[in-house]
Amino acid sequence: MEVIFDSSQQVFHLRNKKLSYLIQLERFGYVTHLYFGQRLEHYSGIAAYPRIHRDFEVESVEFGADVRDFSVGNLLYEYSQYNRGDFRHPALVLRHADGSTVSDFRYDRHEIVAGSPTLEGLPHAKVDGGQEAVTLKIYLKDALKSLELVLSYTIFEGQTIVVRSATLHNKGSETSRIEKISSFQLDLPPRQAELIHLNGTWARERFVEREAIHHGIKVLDSKRGTSSHHQSPYMAIVAPETTEHLGQALGAQLIYSGSFEMSVQMDSYNQIRLQAGIQSLGLDWELAPGESFQTPQVVLAYSNRGLNGLSQAYHDFVSQHLIPSRFRGVERPILINNWEATYFDFDQPRLHALIDQAADLGVELFVLDDGWFGQRNHDNSSLGDWFEQESKLPQGLVGLSDYVHGKGMKFGLWFEPEMISENSNLFREHPEWAIQTPGRSLTPGRQQLVLNMANPDVRDNLFQQISKILNQVPIDYIKWDMNRHLTEVYALHLPGQAQGQVAHRYTLGVYDLMERLTKAYPHILFESCSGGGGRFDLGILAYMPQTWTSDNTDAVERLKIQYGTSMMVPQHTMGAHVSAVPNHQTHRVTPLATRAQVAYFGDFGYELDLTKLPKEELESIRQQVNFYKQHRALFQFGRFSRLLSPFQDNLTAWMVVSPEQDQAMVLLAQTLTQAAMPLQVLKLQDLCPERRYQVKSEEQEFVATGAELMQVGFYVFPQLVGDYASRLYHVKALVD
């Protein structure tokens, strides 16, 4: 792993055993892109941009230079700027004190440092425990305005990952205003390519969309104050022939949880420009002399093994360099959440009955959801009042926690810290703490408003209230929810000229509170939630190692949701539960076995009333719990591969393989049964070709080599019977 600077070619070469990234210093100090892909042992200079003149393009901004073969607007830049000859989508837009918008950043110097940079106030990639990384920093200078732009590139040992970010420093005497600042830009040579992104809405998160890239600009974004259910901060650029298992793919994910934008542009000459960063709409950030602005990091990934190779690169990165180190490789407990069992209608006896039944079945964690605080008997009050509702819990949370722990289980609690109800003590005391625009009416969503997390007084109040609970009550797990997006974005504690900072400062405030709480209570397992998967991103995972994947617990819908989510993150970050039927979101009735087998591939749990189930279902749940405990490490930390897509077929299949390649679990699920169904040949992935494996389900059992299972495949026979049927295969290496 190294960063090499070839002064004769003026080329930076970042590389490890798997990956190379090449950057060219062009004449006049332009920094351009050459290559991102499979490791190169040597670079001879063949990717240098041809000296070509394009009509109606700026030839040079250098007065008197004979550069008719040099069109500024067509180079493949590492980071572009505005109003200086490149008419494509800019990465940076500044408005200076004199009203001008021209920027002219040129190469000034560089440095190569060991490790991965720490970003104050932002989640970021980490290197610890003997891991290795190296970072290249390229310093660009706008001499007229005394501005410095630092492009940061970090490469990790053993990863096909490059983490990038940008930092802008004002070293002059005048203020400049940031109207757009991207975390990265990647300009690619002409090619046929397709875009894959993850679109959706509440209860239908991260559905996979694939489309050809055409001339023009495609923008993927969120303006909601969070990364949102509707568009994930993820994109992949693939060759048309790329499949799950074959072909090349490039990916980009932001380590950020607020409003964002990602764009793909194909110019008139079929060159492709990728960008990602915080949302520019509404951004107006005053950068005074001596101040700096740090963008969130973006994680670039490369694969020459198709989309599975790309997602596995992200899985490894998240597991090793992002989630809190104390939870890396730590098995997650099987939980029961009372929400769909009771909603707000619970009392101590009803909870005790549910806890008793869960403990008897071997469940390891009981989570008390919404309704335990203030006067919260409906969703129209009490958010912001984080004190116990004694009428429901006469022995208090301490008594309930003691009861749960006495049953040999862990105890978890639900919070929604970022929200406030108009009907709450906190709002009556501090109405100015709610996000609101002067003179405009308040617009509640779900009968609640959003607290101004940009205000440190708000964060201090929340920390004190939550800490009081956590100091008094033995708590092992917290579910952190967020059920409303941001409107009328304005902060009453900031002056008018700073209102263009509020959306980003809100996100920074959320990170600050999460950082304080997770550091103060490191033993607590935090799970993030936002109406399910409405803020499932790499930024949140840096503080909270798992996320409730979706409020939609229907097993058939979860096939698509978990399939799409696996493009971004590993399965041990996904909350996946068995719920009651008819399902509360879709009203569908699916077999209990199918519900469990889909949910096995994540952080397993239950969302139903165990006290109302018949004995035969309780016995099935007991067996499910025991089975999951036996194979939990494989389900949560095995290498995940997608086999058959629910977006393309009636069948879905995926699998996990142990690091030693001695065990695997394979899920096959059917949406609807059909008459005279064709036979299905299923091919597996990531096994050892030479080893012999026993493949076993309730319906099939045989022995084959890994090579046969991956290259030849086997018939699924007998075929699956019935709507919403599933089958789980246990693949185990034989000892010869």
Side-chain angles (χ1 to χ4, degrees):
M1 180 187 61
E2 57 189 348
V3 176
I4 303 167
F5 179 59
D6 185 333
S7 58
S8 62
Q9 295 190 87
Q10 293 288 287
V11 170
F12 296 99
H13 189 172
L14 296 82
R15 70 179 180 186
N16 59 25
K17 293 180 180 179
K18 298 180 178 180
L19 183 74
S20 283
Y21 193 113
L22 297 172
I23 301 167
Q24 176 83 60
L25 295 184
E26 272 282 2
R27 61 172 127 176
F28 310 132
Y30 295 111
V31 181
T32 61
H33 180 74
L34 293 175
Y35 173 79
F36 176 39
Q38 189 171 347
R39 175 187 165 95
L40 300 174
E41 294 299 327
H42 173 72
Y43 173 63
S44 63
I46 62 172
Y49 200 82
R51 297 293 187 238
I52 185 170
H53 168 72
R54 302 287 192 185
D55 286 334
F56 284 89
E57 298 293 344
V58 173
E59 295 163 358
S60 174
V61 296
E62 304 297 319
F63 178 76
D66 183 16
V67 286
R68 290 294 297 248
D69 63 347
F70 191 89
S71 294
V72 172
N74 304 114
L75 293 177
L76 303 178
Y77 291 103
E78 283 293 311
Y79 204 87
S80 65
Q81 44 206 321
Y82 179 59
N83 204 8
R84 195 61 164 166
D86 184 354
F87 296 100
R88 294 165 291 181
H89 217 39
L92 178 67
V93 178
L94 300 175
R95 188 170 299 276
H96 305 295
D98 59 5
S100 68
T101 57
V102 174
S103 296
D104 193 6
F105 287 94
R106 309 294 184 93
Y107 172 79
D108 182 48
R109 68 190 193 280
H110 71 271
E111 63 176 335
I112 300 167
V113 295
S116 179
T118 298
L119 274 56
E120 184 177 354
L122 280 167
H124 52 272
K126 302 178 182 69
V127 178
D128 50 31
Q131 302 163 339
E132 295 184 5
V134 62
T135 297
L136 167 67
K137 293 185 176 182
I138 300 177
Y139 293 80
L140 308 178
K141 184 178 181 181
D142 185 327
L144 180 65
K145 297 299 181 181
S146 298
L147 296 169
E148 182 179 74
L149 180 66
V150 185
L151 306 182
S152 175
Y153 305 76
T154 302
I155 188 169
F156 300 81
E157 186 61 52
Q159 303 272 339
T160 57
I161 293 284
V162 174
V163 171
R164 289 189 54 183
S165 67
T167 312
L168 184 63
H169 303 287
N170 188 345
K171 296 193 170 184
S173 58
E174 296 181 340
T175 294
S176 291
R177 305 189 78 90
I178 302 171
E179 296 182 358
K180 177 182 180 181
I181 183 165
S182 298
S183 293
F184 94 113
Q185 178 175 297
L186 186 65
D187 282 359
L188 302 173
R191 65 186 64 191
Q192 283 191 323
E194 295 179 347
L195 167 68
I196 296 175
H197 59 102
L198 304 174
N199 193 269
T201 185
W202 174 81
R204 188 164 45 81
E205 297 90 345
R206 289 171 296 284
F207 274 32
V208 179
E209 293 197 14
R210 182 168 179 165
E211 58 191 80
I213 297 175
H214 300 291
H215 295 114
I217 301 174
K218 172 85 173 185
V219 177
L220 313 170
D221 75 348
S222 169
K223 305 177 186 71
R224 295 172 172 268
T226 73
S227 48
S228 84
H229 309 79
H230 302 75
Q231 189 73 56
S232 293
Y234 165 96
M235 62 180 173
I237 308 300
V238 303
E241 64 271 15
T242 296
T243 68
E244 283 284 11
H245 312 297
L246 298 172
Q248 297 196 61
L250 301 177
Q253 283 198 70
L254 279 169
I255 306 180
Y256 190 62
S257 310
S259 296
F260 72 91
E261 62 182 33
M262 309 181 91
S263 63
V264 181
Q265 179 180 18
M266 178 179 281
D267 69 14
S268 300
Y269 304 104
N270 297 342
Q271 300 175 145
I272 296 175
R273 171 168 289 181
L274 311 178
Q275 293 174 350
I278 65 175
Q279 175 62 246
S280 61
L281 183 64
L283 178 66
D284 183 11
W285 193 282
E286 186 178 88
L287 196 69
E291 293 183 343
S292 300
F293 187 93
Q294 173 64 58
T295 72
Q297 289 180 335
V298 66
V299 186
L300 305 181
Y302 166 76
S303 169
N304 59 4
R305 298 185 296 108
L307 292 170
N308 268 302
L310 190 70
S311 61
Q312 288 171 359
Y314 279 126
H315 295 184
D316 290 345
F317 171 80
V318 170
S319 300
Q320 297 178 34
H321 297 290
L322 194 66
I323 67 169
S325 58
R326 59 190 177 276
F327 292 110
R328 294 175 193 168
V330 176
E331 296 180 10
R332 310 292 196 260
I334 301 170
L335 67 81
I336 177 75
N337 185 299
N338 76 298
W339 180 243
E340 290 194 9
T342 68
Y343 293 101
F344 292 107
D345 184 20
F346 63 82
D347 54 22
Q348 185 169 290
R350 191 171 182 187
L351 294 180
H352 282 191
L354 184 58
I355 293 163
D356 292 346
Q357 187 65 76
D360 180 68
L361 296 173
V363 175
E364 300 162 317
L365 166 65
F366 172 78
V367 181
L368 178 61
D369 211 282
D370 194 356
W372 59 266
F373 54 92
Q375 302 300 318
R376 183 79 162 177
N377 297 308
H378 194 270
D379 65 0
N380 61 359
S381 77
S382 301
L383 289 172
D385 295 346
W386 299 110
F387 53 85
E388 300 177 40
Q389 185 174 167
E390 296 179 357
S391 61
K392 287 185 177 180
L393 300 172
Q395 294 180 335
L397 289 174
V398 170
L400 185 64
S401 175
D402 289 345
Y403 190 84
V404 171
H405 287 125
K407 293 290 182 176
M409 300 168 66
K410 295 181 177 180
F411 178 60
L413 196 60
W414 180 95
F415 284 90
E416 193 173 2
E418 300 161 67
M419 299 295 134
I420 186 170
S421 302
E422 288 189 76
N423 182 13
S424 67
N425 292 345
L426 187 63
F427 186 81
R428 284 184 282 272
E429 294 170 5
H430 291 286
E432 76 281 5
W433 282 1
I435 287 180
Q436 56 192 286
T437 297
R440 302 290 183 183
S441 59
L442 298 172
T443 55
R446 291 184 83 250
Q447 304 188 70
Q448 60 194 53
L449 303 170
V450 184
L451 280 168
N452 176 15
M453 298 297 289
N455 187 339
D457 292 339
V458 172
R459 301 197 299 273
D460 288 344
N461 176 277
L462 291 172
F463 183 81
Q464 292 165 8
Q465 286 200 68
I466 295 171
S467 293
K468 185 176 181 179
I469 295 290
L470 301 185
N471 290 338
Q472 294 174 347
V473 184
I475 292 176
D476 308 288
Y477 164 104
I478 286 176
K479 180 179 177 181
W480 179 307
D481 213 340
M482 194 270 194
N483 284 310
R484 189 205 191 280
H485 292 149
L486 277 60
T487 59
E488 294 85 45
V489 178
Y490 194 98
L492 295 177
H493 77 292
L494 293 175
Q497 67 269 23
Q499 296 305 317
Q501 305 177 14
V502 175
H504 182 51
R505 288 194 182 278
Y506 178 93
T507 303
L508 296 178
V510 171
Y511 290 149
D512 175 66
L513 183 58
M514 288 183 173
E515 176 81 6
R516 292 170 67 182
L517 286 169
T518 55
K519 279 194 172 182
Y521 305 95
H523 67 283
I524 294 178
L525 172 62
F526 283 80
E527 178 176 277
S528 68
C529 178
S530 179
R535 194 164 58 182
F536 202 150
D537 57 67
L538 301 191
I540 290 295
L541 289 177
Y543 303 98
M544 302 183 176
Q546 62 190 61
T547 297
W548 181 223
T549 312
S550 177
D551 278 348
N552 189 342
T553 55
D554 177 80
V556 176
E557 292 292 291
R558 273 300 186 106
L559 292 171
K560 290 182 176 180
I561 294 169
Q562 290 176 215
Y563 191 98
T565 305
S566 74
M567 294 275 188
M568 299 170 47
V569 294
Q571 66 277 12
H572 63 76
T573 66
M574 301 184 207
H577 300 168
V578 176
S579 63
V581 292
N583 179 266
H584 289 199
Q585 290 79 44
T586 66
H587 306 289
R588 196 191 328 260
V589 176
T590 55
L592 179 59
T594 299
R595 285 176 270 157
Q597 289 174 7
V598 173
Y600 283 157
F601 293 83
D603 301 324
F604 186 61
Y606 292 88
E607 299 259 346
L608 42 72
D609 191 346
L610 297 172
T611 66
K612 294 182 178 179
L613 298 182
K615 289 183 179 180
E616 58 270 20
E617 288 196 0
L618 291 175
E619 184 55 33
S620 294
I621 289 175
R622 188 188 309 278
Q623 294 173 12
Q624 292 168 1
V625 168
N626 291 335
F627 179 81
Y628 188 78
K629 288 178 179 178
Q630 183 181 354
H631 301 287
R632 173 166 28 202
L634 176 60
F635 281 122
Q636 293 184 358
F637 301 107
R639 181 166 287 271
F640 188 95
S641 289
R642 297 174 298 274
L643 305 177
L644 298 174
S645 171
F647 297 97
Q648 298 174 358
D649 201 351
N650 192 46
L651 291 174
T652 302
W654 59 54
M655 65 181 292
V656 288
V657 179
S658 67
E660 300 79 16
Q661 296 177 295
D662 60 347
Q663 285 197 79
M665 288 287 181
V666 183
L667 173 73
L668 180 69
Q670 175 172 276
T671 303
L672 297 176
T673 193
Q674 299 171 344
M677 286 190 297
L679 291 168
Q680 176 68 48
V681 174
L682 189 60
K683 295 182 180 181
L684 306 187
Q685 292 288 317
D686 292 327
L687 300 175
C688 178
E690 298 80 19
R691 299 180 81 167
R692 295 170 65 245
Y693 292 90
Q694 178 193 55
V695 181
K696 186 176 182 180
S697 70
E698 290 186 1
E699 298 83 3
Q700 287 181 272
E701 183 174 356
F702 57 89
V703 173
T705 65
E708 291 176 287
L709 293 170
M710 293 187 292
Q711 298 170 29
V712 180
F714 62 91
Y715 283 107
V716 176
F717 191 80
Q719 294 172 285
L720 297 181
V721 177
D723 294 345
Y724 324 129
S726 67
R727 184 175 298 168
L728 193 68
Y729 294 93
H730 186 193
V731 181
K732 189 174 183 179
L734 298 176
V735 179
D736 295 323

